[in-house]
Amino acid sequence: TGLTHPLLSGHTYAINACLFTTNNASTTGSQFGYNIGAAPTLALFGNHGAVTNSVTAGAFSLGTATARDTAITAQTTGQTATGIHWLAGYIQPSADGTFALRATSEVTVAAGLTVKAGSWMAIRETDN
């Protein structure tokens, strides 16, 4: 909820998001991506996310993806404390549709990943 927005064909958008998440176990990682109804004309998204929090030695994952419903990053471990993930990118839809950020567990586990309240997404049209 709150991580979707309608986009118009032919327009280009910049998207930034901050997701706060928890995993159900330290052995369960996270995956992040995006979806929109039709394959976009242009798209590139990146992710920088905390796999483990630590003041002195935190572990992070980084990744990029151009295709919808493709993992930007696929972590194999996670954290049960709240972690933070930054996603950013641009997209030019090929048809009007609803853009959605996607977040899931890297394994099929009920409630494997929870996106917490306070997560947000900002979208700005760049060709106006």
Side-chain angles (χ1 to χ4, degrees):
T1 301
L3 299 175
T4 63
H5 194 275
L7 301 183
L8 300 175
S9 173
H11 295 261
T12 304
Y13 300 89
I15 298 171
N16 290 290
C18 178
L19 304 182
F20 299 100
T21 66
T22 57
N23 298 85
N24 70 332
S26 62
T27 55
T28 302
S30 306
Q31 292 185 48
F32 302 95
Y34 75 93
N35 188 314
I36 191 160
T41 303
L42 297 168
L44 178 61
F45 283 86
N47 167 254
H48 179 213
V51 177
T52 58
N53 288 332
S54 171
V55 172
T56 58
F60 292 87
S61 68
L62 303 165
T64 60
T66 57
R68 63 192 170 129
D69 291 329
T70 300
I72 297 168
T73 184
Q75 303 165 354
T76 57
T77 60
Q79 57 187 341
T80 55
T82 300
I84 188 169
H85 302 274
W86 293 276
L87 291 90
Y90 67 89
I91 190 167
Q92 184 182 63
S94 61
D96 293 357
T98 300
F99 175 87
L101 283 180
R102 294 194 146 199
T104 189
S105 173
E106 51 97 18
V107 295
T108 306
V109 177
L113 177 71
T114 302
V115 176
K116 308 288 276 183
S119 297
W120 57 267
M121 178 174 70
I123 297 177
R124 179 176 60 90
E125 187 176 344
T126 62
D127 52 4
N128 271 340

